[in-house]
Amino acid sequence: MSTTGWIVVAAVAFVAAAVVVLYNALVAGRNQVEAAWRQIDVQLKRRRDLVPNLVEAVKGYMGHERDTLENVIKARNAAVGAAGGPREGQIQAEAALSGVLGRLFALAESYPQLKANENVMQLQEELSSTENKIAFSRQHYNDSVMAQNTRVESFPAVLVAGALGFAKHPYFEIAEQDREVPQVKLR
Amino acid sequence: MPAGPWGQAPPAPQAPAPRPQPRPVGLTRTDFIAAIRRNRRNTALLCLALTLVGVAAGGGIGWAFGVLADPDPASPLPPMFLISGAAAMLAFSAVWTLIAVFAGDRIVLGITGARAVGKDEAPVLHNVVEEMALAAGLPKPRVMIVETAALNAFATGTRPEKAAVAVTRGLLNALGRDELQGVVAHEMGHVANNDVLYMTAVGVLVGLIVVASDLALRSMRFVGAGGRRSGDSRKGGGGAMVLAAILVLLAIGLLSPLMARVVQMAVSRQREYLADATSVKLTRNPLGLIGALQKLDAAPVRWADASRAVQHLFIVNPFKKFAADASALMATHPSIEQRIERLKALG
């Protein structure tokens, strides 16, 4: 074969090897994002299971907060409905549940009788620990998403990522209204 | 007011220029799984390099012994001894490495007396460990407690799947939840950065080089007799060979362990900074670890019966009371002041 022929063969082999390396890195990144999401899912499911128990346990003490309790149940049911659906919808429903739960915890501070109920305290400890775990697994999910999105958008992967079926992943963000500090009225 | 040389008041003494902030170590990485892969590769390379050094030292000692036994340049002894010395070193390092990698965690847990605890016994510790494992995206390590009043913690396990995090009873009692989280995150950092494998490998190879140097130094006492005997009975070439053999033994005996230890300790200190940085990345809260380090520094109880063999594993060195000179070349850990300074730079 001529020299030019060999150069062409070498160039094609080099490009093919580069695509293989890129593809494998992208697959590993996508699987990591999926694994991170499943970790959040485990914690979110645990929270959805714990919420009705907590509402049931505090109902007797917090009769005046029926609106808040109903909102919690509504948000929880919406989160159950969104589970298994598209990821953006799940993220929204779970963020809304986080918001109303935060409000419930803040309100519970003004019911000292709750602190005397061991069952409620245990549930609250479990639930706030689950909140922590959701926060940390969300942090890991977002870290993984950032690494993968950077990978997908970086040159030269950006040339082939779309064609190979790799897209950017959505971040798990908390909606703006849920970041507000809950209003606590003094009475 | 006294006038200055140009009829002005002398300028007010200026505050010393702020020291340049130390560069945060490895903080740009949020992808631990990729970091572990990279770390494994580095470990393999470092082990290969140190193994080659060890094998070269073994070969050098073997050759020198051969020369001392028979200084005749045509003698077949030196090359034979060279090969057998190198082979012995290689076999020794392979066996030692296998033991360290596969039984290292059990040995460490045995030496320190750590005991696995269930979730009902230490719910907060379990929750904190699980939270940090989630933050790192790694499997939850085993949770262990050491029954001592000293304040310390360590991680072990050469793979994240086999890792264990242990804290002392004193630490569990003395720290608040955020501080405990900072310490556990530091240990998770060691697991995530694969430091246990890294430091085990470095420790084995450094130990090997120290053994080789010891052998070289011990052999020196026989050199005097051998050298004199060869001087009058052999050809001139033999004398030069003997001199070279003595120089090789001296170099291996005196220099290599020193160099190896300095490298090992430098690596160890770097890994501590990296674990601190990783801790902040996991908790996003440097104040927890800063508070914990301050309490560890102020704690009056040292861990007197800890073993020196595992001192580099702990979050703070169990033997030394840290002062400014703790960053000397041979320290396993940077001083707590320096670590806190770097943590503040992160916050």
Coordinates of all heavy atoms in Angstrom, one line a residue, chain B residues 196-277:
Chain B
V196 N -6.4 4.2 51.9 CA -5.9 3.0 52.6 C -5.1 2.1 51.8 O -4.0 1.7 52.2 CB -7.1 2.2 53.2 CG1 -6.7 1.0 54.0 CG2 -7.9 3.2 54.1
L197 N -5.5 1.8 50.5 CA -4.7 1.0 49.6 C -3.4 1.7 49.3 O -2.4 1.1 49.3 CB -5.5 0.8 48.3 CG -4.8 0.0 47.2 CD1 -4.5 -1.4 47.8 CD2 -5.7 -0.1 46.0
Y198 N -3.5 3.0 49.1 CA -2.4 3.8 48.7 C -1.3 3.8 49.8 O -0.1 3.4 49.6 CB -2.8 5.3 48.6 CG -2.0 6.2 47.7 CD1 -2.0 6.1 46.3 CD2 -1.1 7.1 48.3 CE1 -1.3 6.9 45.6 CE2 -0.4 7.9 47.5 CZ -0.4 7.9 46.2 OH 0.3 8.7 45.4
M199 N -1.8 4.0 51.1 CA -0.8 4.1 52.1 C -0.3 2.7 52.5 O 0.8 2.5 53.0 CB -1.4 4.8 53.4 CG -1.6 6.3 53.2 SD -0.2 7.2 52.4 CE 1.0 7.1 53.7
T200 N -1.2 1.7 52.4 CA -0.7 0.3 52.6 C 0.4 -0.1 51.7 O 1.4 -0.6 52.1 CB -1.9 -0.7 52.4 OG1 -3.0 -0.3 53.3 CG2 -1.5 -2.1 52.7
A201 N 0.2 0.2 50.4 CA 1.2 -0.1 49.4 C 2.5 0.6 49.7 O 3.6 0.0 49.7 CB 0.7 0.2 48.0
V202 N 2.4 1.9 50.0 CA 3.6 2.7 50.2 C 4.3 2.1 51.5 O 5.5 2.0 51.5 CB 3.2 4.2 50.4 CG1 4.4 5.0 50.9 CG2 2.7 4.7 49.1
G203 N 3.4 1.8 52.5 CA 4.0 1.3 53.8 C 4.8 0.0 53.6 O 5.9 -0.1 54.1
V204 N 4.2 -0.9 52.8 CA 4.9 -2.2 52.6 C 6.2 -2.0 51.9 O 7.2 -2.5 52.3 CB 4.0 -3.1 51.7 CG1 4.8 -4.2 51.1 CG2 2.8 -3.6 52.5
L205 N 6.2 -1.1 50.8 CA 7.4 -1.0 50.1 C 8.5 -0.2 50.8 O 9.7 -0.5 50.8 CB 7.1 -0.3 48.7 CG 6.3 -1.2 47.9 CD1 5.5 -0.5 46.8 CD2 7.2 -2.3 47.3
V206 N 8.0 0.8 51.6 CA 9.0 1.5 52.5 C 9.6 0.5 53.5 O 10.8 0.5 53.7 CB 8.4 2.7 53.1 CG1 9.2 3.3 54.2 CG2 8.1 3.8 52.1
G207 N 8.7 -0.3 54.1 CA 9.2 -1.3 55.0 C 10.2 -2.2 54.4 O 11.3 -2.5 55.1
L208 N 10.0 -2.6 53.2 CA 10.9 -3.5 52.5 C 12.3 -2.8 52.3 O 13.3 -3.4 52.5 CB 10.3 -3.8 51.1 CG 10.6 -5.1 50.5 CD1 10.1 -6.2 51.4 CD2 10.0 -5.2 49.1
I209 N 12.2 -1.5 51.9 CA 13.5 -0.8 51.7 C 14.2 -0.6 53.0 O 15.5 -0.8 53.1 CB 13.2 0.6 51.0 CG1 12.7 0.3 49.6 CG2 14.4 1.5 51.0 CD1 12.2 1.5 48.9
V210 N 13.5 -0.4 54.1 CA 14.1 -0.3 55.4 C 14.8 -1.6 55.8 O 15.9 -1.7 56.3 CB 13.1 0.1 56.5 CG1 13.7 0.0 57.8 CG2 12.7 1.5 56.2
V211 N 14.1 -2.7 55.5 CA 14.7 -4.1 55.8 C 16.0 -4.2 55.0 O 17.0 -4.7 55.5 CB 13.7 -5.2 55.5 CG1 14.4 -6.5 55.5 CG2 12.6 -5.2 56.5
A212 N 15.9 -3.9 53.7 CA 17.1 -4.0 52.9 C 18.3 -3.2 53.4 O 19.4 -3.7 53.5 CB 16.8 -3.6 51.4
S213 N 18.0 -2.0 53.8 CA 19.1 -1.1 54.3 C 19.6 -1.6 55.6 O 20.8 -1.6 55.9 CB 18.5 0.3 54.5 OG 17.9 0.4 55.8
D214 N 18.7 -2.2 56.4 CA 19.2 -2.8 57.7 C 20.2 -3.9 57.4 O 21.2 -4.0 58.0 CB 18.0 -3.3 58.5 CG 18.3 -3.5 59.9 OD1 18.9 -2.5 60.5 OD2 17.9 -4.5 60.5
L215 N 19.8 -4.7 56.4 CA 20.7 -5.8 56.0 C 22.0 -5.3 55.6 O 23.1 -5.8 56.0 CB 20.0 -6.6 54.9 CG 20.5 -8.0 54.5 CD1 20.2 -8.9 55.6 CD2 19.8 -8.4 53.2
A216 N 22.0 -4.2 54.8 CA 23.2 -3.7 54.3 C 24.1 -3.2 55.4 O 25.3 -3.4 55.4 CB 22.9 -2.5 53.3
L217 N 23.5 -2.5 56.4 CA 24.3 -1.9 57.5 C 24.9 -3.0 58.4 O 26.0 -2.9 58.8 CB 23.4 -1.0 58.3 CG 23.2 0.4 57.7 CD1 22.4 1.3 58.7 CD2 24.5 1.0 57.3
R218 N 24.0 -4.0 58.7 CA 24.5 -5.1 59.5 C 25.7 -5.8 58.9 O 26.6 -6.3 59.5 CB 23.4 -6.2 59.7 CG 22.5 -5.8 60.9 CD 21.2 -6.6 60.8 NE 20.2 -6.0 61.6 CZ 20.1 -6.2 62.9 NH1 20.9 -7.0 63.6 NH2 19.1 -5.6 63.6
S219 N 25.7 -5.9 57.5 CA 26.7 -6.6 56.8 C 28.0 -5.9 56.9 O 29.1 -6.4 56.7 CB 26.4 -6.9 55.4 OG 26.3 -5.7 54.7
M220 N 28.0 -4.6 57.2 CA 29.2 -3.7 57.2 C 30.2 -4.2 58.2 O 31.4 -4.1 58.0 CB 28.9 -2.3 57.5 CG 28.1 -1.6 56.4 SD 28.9 -1.6 54.8 CE 30.2 -0.4 55.1
R221 N 29.8 -4.8 59.3 CA 30.7 -5.2 60.3 C 31.6 -6.4 59.8 O 32.7 -6.6 60.4 CB 30.0 -5.6 61.6 CG 29.3 -6.9 61.5 CD 28.6 -7.3 62.8 NE 27.5 -6.3 63.1 CZ 26.6 -6.6 64.0 NH1 26.6 -7.7 64.7 NH2 25.6 -5.7 64.2
F222 N 31.2 -7.1 58.8 CA 32.0 -8.2 58.3 C 33.0 -7.7 57.2 O 33.9 -8.4 56.8 CB 31.1 -9.3 57.6 CG 30.2 -9.8 58.6 CD1 28.8 -9.6 58.5 CD2 30.6 -10.6 59.7 CE1 27.9 -10.1 59.4 CE2 29.7 -11.1 60.6 CZ 28.4 -10.9 60.5
V223 N 32.7 -6.4 56.7 CA 33.5 -5.9 55.6 C 35.0 -5.8 56.0 O 35.8 -6.1 55.2 CB 32.9 -4.6 55.1 CG1 33.8 -3.9 54.2 CG2 31.6 -4.9 54.4
G224 N 35.2 -5.2 57.2 CA 36.6 -4.9 57.6 C 37.5 -6.2 57.4 O 38.5 -6.1 56.7
A225 N 37.0 -7.3 58.0 CA 37.8 -8.5 57.9 C 38.0 -8.9 56.5 O 39.1 -9.2 56.1 CB 37.1 -9.6 58.8
G226 N 36.9 -9.0 55.7 CA 37.0 -9.5 54.4 C 37.9 -8.6 53.5 O 38.7 -9.1 52.7
G227 N 37.8 -7.3 53.7 CA 38.6 -6.3 52.9 C 40.1 -6.6 53.1 O 40.9 -6.6 52.2
R228 N 40.5 -6.7 54.4 CA 41.9 -6.8 54.7 C 42.5 -8.1 54.1 O 43.5 -8.2 53.5 CB 42.1 -6.8 56.2 CG 42.6 -5.5 56.8 CD 43.1 -5.6 58.2 NE 42.3 -6.4 59.1 CZ 41.2 -5.9 59.7 NH1 40.9 -4.7 59.4 NH2 40.5 -6.6 60.5
R229 N 41.7 -9.2 54.3 CA 42.2 -10.5 53.8 C 42.4 -10.5 52.3 O 43.4 -11.0 51.8 CB 41.1 -11.5 54.1 CG 41.5 -12.9 53.7 CD 40.8 -14.0 54.5 NE 39.5 -13.7 55.0 CZ 38.4 -13.8 54.2 NH1 38.5 -14.1 53.0 NH2 37.2 -13.4 54.7
S230 N 41.5 -9.7 51.6 CA 41.6 -9.8 50.1 C 42.8 -8.9 49.6 O 43.3 -9.1 48.5 CB 40.3 -9.3 49.5 OG 40.1 -8.0 49.9
G231 N 43.1 -7.9 50.4 CA 44.1 -6.9 50.0 C 45.4 -7.5 49.5 O 45.9 -7.1 48.4
D232 N 46.0 -8.5 50.2 CA 47.3 -9.0 49.9 C 47.3 -10.2 49.0 O 48.2 -10.5 48.2 CB 48.1 -9.3 51.1 CG 47.3 -10.0 52.2 OD1 46.3 -10.7 51.7 OD2 47.5 -9.8 53.4
S233 N 46.2 -10.9 49.0 CA 46.2 -12.2 48.3 C 45.7 -12.1 46.9 O 45.7 -13.1 46.1 CB 45.5 -13.3 49.1 OG 44.1 -12.9 49.2
R234 N 45.0 -11.0 46.5 CA 44.3 -11.0 45.2 C 44.9 -9.9 44.3 O 45.7 -9.1 44.7 CB 42.8 -10.6 45.4 CG 42.2 -11.5 46.4 CD 41.5 -12.7 45.9 NE 41.0 -13.5 47.0 CZ 40.3 -14.6 46.8 NH1 40.0 -15.0 45.5 NH2 39.9 -15.3 47.8
K235 N 44.4 -9.9 43.1 CA 44.9 -8.9 42.1 C 44.4 -7.5 42.4 O 43.5 -7.4 43.2 CB 44.5 -9.3 40.7 CG 45.2 -10.5 40.2 CD 44.6 -11.0 38.9 CE 43.4 -11.8 39.1 NZ 42.9 -12.6 38.1
G236 N 45.0 -6.5 41.8 CA 44.6 -5.1 42.1 C 43.1 -4.8 41.9 O 42.5 -4.0 42.6
G237 N 42.5 -5.4 40.8 CA 41.1 -5.2 40.5 C 40.2 -5.5 41.6 O 39.2 -4.8 41.8
G238 N 40.6 -6.5 42.4 CA 39.7 -6.9 43.5 C 39.6 -5.8 44.6 O 38.5 -5.6 45.1
G239 N 40.6 -5.1 44.8 CA 40.6 -4.0 45.8 C 39.5 -2.9 45.4 O 38.7 -2.5 46.2
A240 N 39.6 -2.5 44.2 CA 38.6 -1.5 43.7 C 37.2 -2.1 43.8 O 36.3 -1.3 44.2 CB 38.9 -1.2 42.2
M241 N 37.0 -3.3 43.5 CA 35.7 -3.9 43.5 C 35.2 -3.9 45.0 O 34.0 -3.6 45.2 CB 35.7 -5.4 43.0 CG 36.0 -5.6 41.6 SD 34.6 -5.2 40.6 CE 33.7 -6.8 40.7
V242 N 36.1 -4.2 45.9 CA 35.6 -4.3 47.3 C 35.2 -2.9 47.7 O 34.2 -2.7 48.4 CB 36.8 -4.8 48.2 CG1 36.5 -4.6 49.6 CG2 37.0 -6.3 47.9
L243 N 36.0 -1.9 47.3 CA 35.7 -0.5 47.7 C 34.3 -0.1 47.1 O 33.4 0.4 47.8 CB 36.7 0.5 47.1 CG 36.7 1.9 47.6 CD1 37.0 1.9 49.1 CD2 37.6 2.8 46.9
A244 N 34.0 -0.5 45.9 CA 32.7 -0.2 45.2 C 31.6 -0.9 46.0 O 30.6 -0.4 46.3 CB 32.7 -0.7 43.8
A245 N 31.9 -2.2 46.4 CA 30.9 -2.9 47.2 C 30.5 -2.2 48.5 O 29.4 -2.1 48.9 CB 31.4 -4.4 47.4
I246 N 31.6 -1.8 49.2 CA 31.4 -1.1 50.4 C 30.5 0.2 50.2 O 29.6 0.5 51.0 CB 32.7 -0.7 51.1 CG1 33.4 -2.0 51.5 CG2 32.5 0.2 52.3 CD1 34.8 -1.8 52.0
L247 N 30.9 0.9 49.1 CA 30.1 2.2 48.8 C 28.6 1.8 48.5 O 27.7 2.6 49.0 CB 30.7 2.9 47.7 CG 32.0 3.7 48.0 CD1 32.6 4.3 46.8 CD2 31.7 4.7 49.1
V248 N 28.4 0.8 47.8 CA 27.0 0.4 47.5 C 26.3 0.1 48.7 O 25.1 0.6 49.0 CB 27.0 -0.8 46.5 CG1 25.6 -1.4 46.5 CG2 27.4 -0.4 45.1
L249 N 26.9 -0.7 49.6 CA 26.2 -1.1 50.9 C 25.9 0.1 51.7 O 24.8 0.3 52.3 CB 27.1 -2.1 51.7 CG 27.1 -3.5 51.1 CD1 28.0 -4.4 52.0 CD2 25.7 -4.1 51.1
L250 N 26.9 1.1 51.8 CA 26.7 2.3 52.6 C 25.6 3.1 52.0 O 24.7 3.6 52.8 CB 28.0 3.1 52.6 CG 28.9 2.9 53.8 CD1 30.2 3.8 53.6 CD2 28.2 3.2 55.1
A251 N 25.6 3.3 50.7 CA 24.5 4.1 50.1 C 23.1 3.5 50.4 O 22.2 4.2 50.8 CB 24.8 4.2 48.6
I252 N 23.0 2.2 50.2 CA 21.7 1.5 50.4 C 21.4 1.6 51.9 O 20.2 1.9 52.3 CB 21.8 0.0 50.0 CG1 21.9 -0.1 48.5 CG2 20.5 -0.7 50.4 CD1 22.2 -1.5 47.9
G253 N 22.4 1.4 52.8 CA 22.1 1.4 54.2 C 21.7 2.7 54.8 O 20.8 2.8 55.6
L254 N 22.4 3.8 54.3 CA 22.2 5.1 55.0 C 21.1 5.9 54.3 O 20.3 6.6 54.9 CB 23.5 5.8 55.0 CG 24.6 5.2 55.9 CD1 25.9 6.0 55.9 CD2 24.1 5.0 57.3
L255 N 21.1 5.9 52.9 CA 20.3 6.9 52.2 C 18.9 6.4 52.0 O 17.9 7.1 52.2 CB 21.0 7.3 50.9 CG 22.2 8.2 51.0 CD1 22.7 8.5 49.6 CD2 21.8 9.5 51.7
S256 N 18.8 5.1 51.5 CA 17.5 4.7 51.0 C 16.4 4.8 52.1 O 15.3 5.2 51.8 CB 17.6 3.3 50.4 OG 18.0 2.4 51.3
P257 N 16.6 4.3 53.3 CA 15.5 4.4 54.3 C 15.1 5.8 54.6 O 13.9 6.1 54.7 CB 16.0 3.7 55.5 CG 17.5 3.8 55.4 CD 17.8 3.8 54.0
L258 N 16.0 6.7 54.7 CA 15.7 8.1 54.9 C 14.9 8.7 53.8 O 13.8 9.2 54.1 CB 17.0 8.9 55.0 CG 17.0 10.2 55.8 CD1 16.7 10.0 57.2 CD2 18.3 11.0 55.6
M259 N 15.3 8.5 52.6 CA 14.5 9.0 51.5 C 13.1 8.4 51.4 O 12.1 9.1 51.3 CB 15.2 8.6 50.1 CG 16.6 9.2 50.0 SD 16.6 11.0 49.9 CE 16.0 11.2 48.3
A260 N 13.1 7.0 51.6 CA 11.8 6.3 51.6 C 10.8 6.9 52.6 O 9.7 7.2 52.3 CB 12.0 4.9 51.7
R261 N 11.3 7.1 53.9 CA 10.5 7.6 54.9 C 10.0 9.0 54.6 O 8.8 9.3 54.9 CB 11.2 7.6 56.3 CG 11.3 6.2 56.9 CD 10.2 6.0 57.9 NE 10.4 4.7 58.5 CZ 9.5 3.7 58.4 NH1 8.3 3.9 57.8 NH2 9.7 2.6 59.0
V262 N 10.9 9.8 54.1 CA 10.5 11.2 53.8 C 9.4 11.3 52.8 O 8.4 12.0 52.9 CB 11.8 12.0 53.4 CG1 11.3 13.4 52.8 CG2 12.7 12.3 54.6
V263 N 9.6 10.4 51.8 CA 8.6 10.4 50.7 C 7.2 9.9 51.3 O 6.2 10.4 51.1 CB 9.0 9.4 49.6 CG1 7.8 9.1 48.6 CG2 10.1 10.0 48.8
Q264 N 7.3 8.8 52.1 CA 6.1 8.2 52.7 C 5.3 9.3 53.6 O 4.1 9.4 53.5 CB 6.5 7.0 53.6 CG 5.2 6.4 54.2 CD 5.6 5.3 55.2 OE1 6.7 5.3 55.8 NE2 4.7 4.4 55.4
M265 N 6.1 10.0 54.4 CA 5.4 11.0 55.3 C 4.9 12.1 54.5 O 3.8 12.7 54.8 CB 6.4 11.5 56.3 CG 6.9 10.4 57.3 SD 5.5 9.7 58.2 CE 5.7 8.0 57.9
A266 N 5.6 12.5 53.4 CA 5.1 13.6 52.6 C 3.8 13.2 52.0 O 2.8 14.0 51.9 CB 6.1 14.0 51.5
V267 N 3.7 12.0 51.4 CA 2.5 11.5 50.9 C 1.4 11.4 51.9 O 0.3 11.9 51.7 CB 2.7 10.1 50.3 CG1 1.4 9.4 49.8 CG2 3.7 10.1 49.1
S268 N 1.7 11.0 53.1 CA 0.7 10.8 54.2 C 0.1 12.2 54.5 O -1.1 12.3 54.6 CB 1.4 10.2 55.4 OG 0.5 10.2 56.5
R269 N 1.0 13.2 54.6 CA 0.5 14.6 55.0 C -0.4 15.1 53.9 O -1.5 15.7 54.1 CB 1.6 15.5 55.2 CG 2.4 15.2 56.5 CD 3.3 16.4 56.9 NE 4.3 16.7 55.9 CZ 5.5 16.0 55.8 NH1 5.8 15.1 56.7 NH2 6.3 16.4 54.9
Q270 N 0.0 14.8 52.6 CA -0.8 15.3 51.5 C -2.2 14.7 51.5 O -3.2 15.3 51.2 CB 0.0 15.0 50.2 CG -0.1 16.0 49.2 CD 0.1 17.4 49.7 OE1 1.1 17.6 50.4 NE2 -0.7 18.4 49.5
R271 N -2.2 13.4 51.8 CA -3.5 12.6 51.9 C -4.4 13.2 53.0 O -5.6 13.2 52.9 CB -3.3 11.1 52.1 CG -2.4 10.4 51.1 CD -2.5 10.7 49.7 NE -3.7 10.1 49.1 CZ -3.9 10.1 47.8 NH1 -3.1 10.7 47.0 NH2 -5.0 9.6 47.3
E272 N -3.8 13.7 54.1 CA -4.6 14.2 55.2 C -5.3 15.5 54.7 O -6.5 15.7 54.9 CB -3.7 14.5 56.4 CG -3.3 13.3 57.1 CD -4.5 12.4 57.6 OE1 -5.5 12.9 58.0 OE2 -4.3 11.2 57.5
Y273 N -4.5 16.4 54.0 CA -5.1 17.6 53.5 C -6.2 17.3 52.5 O -7.3 17.9 52.5 CB -4.0 18.4 52.8 CG -3.1 19.3 53.6 CD1 -1.8 19.3 53.5 CD2 -3.7 20.1 54.6 CE1 -0.9 20.1 54.3 CE2 -2.9 20.9 55.4 CZ -1.5 20.9 55.2 OH -0.7 21.6 56.0
L274 N -6.0 16.3 51.7 CA -6.9 15.9 50.7 C -8.2 15.4 51.3 O -9.3 15.8 50.9 CB -6.4 14.9 49.7 CG -7.2 14.4 48.6 CD1 -7.6 15.6 47.7 CD2 -6.5 13.4 47.7
A275 N -8.1 14.6 52.4 CA -9.2 14.1 53.1 C -10.0 15.2 53.8 O -11.2 15.2 53.8 CB -8.8 13.0 54.1
D276 N -9.3 16.2 54.3 CA -10.0 17.4 54.9 C -10.8 18.1 53.8 O -11.9 18.5 54.0 CB -8.9 18.4 55.5 CG -8.4 17.9 56.8 OD1 -9.0 16.9 57.4 OD2 -7.5 18.5 57.4
A277 N -10.2 18.3 52.7 CA -10.9 19.0 51.6 C -12.1 18.2 51.1 O -13.2 18.7 50.9 CB -9.9 19.2 50.4

